[in-house]
Amino acid sequence: MAKKTVASLQTASKRLSKAIKMVKSPKSGAYTFVEAVMDPSEVDKFLSKK
């Protein structure tokens, strides 16, 4: 399960996005959040990866 939250961030000359997804721990069953700042074209690849 992935929670799709994407915020747009702009720096001097680069356009970046922050993606946050919810990942279930196989050991405890609890959910954790994984955050990454990346180019907007890579967001879908990040969210589809397990």
Side-chain angles (χ1 to χ4, degrees):
M1 297 183 73
K3 179 180 179 182
K4 187 173 184 178
T5 304
V6 179
S8 294
L9 305 172
Q10 278 191 317
T11 57
S13 63
K14 292 185 178 181
R15 182 169 158 79
L16 300 173
S17 294
K18 180 178 183 180
I20 304 168
K21 75 176 173 180
M22 203 165 71
V23 179
K24 187 173 185 177
S25 171
K27 196 172 192 180
S28 66
Y31 285 95
T32 59
F33 293 95
V34 178
E35 299 181 17
V37 177
M38 65 196 76
D39 189 78
S41 62
E42 298 176 8
V43 172
D44 288 333
K45 188 168 72 172
F46 171 75
L47 292 174
S48 66
K49 186 171 50 171
K50 283 202 167 204

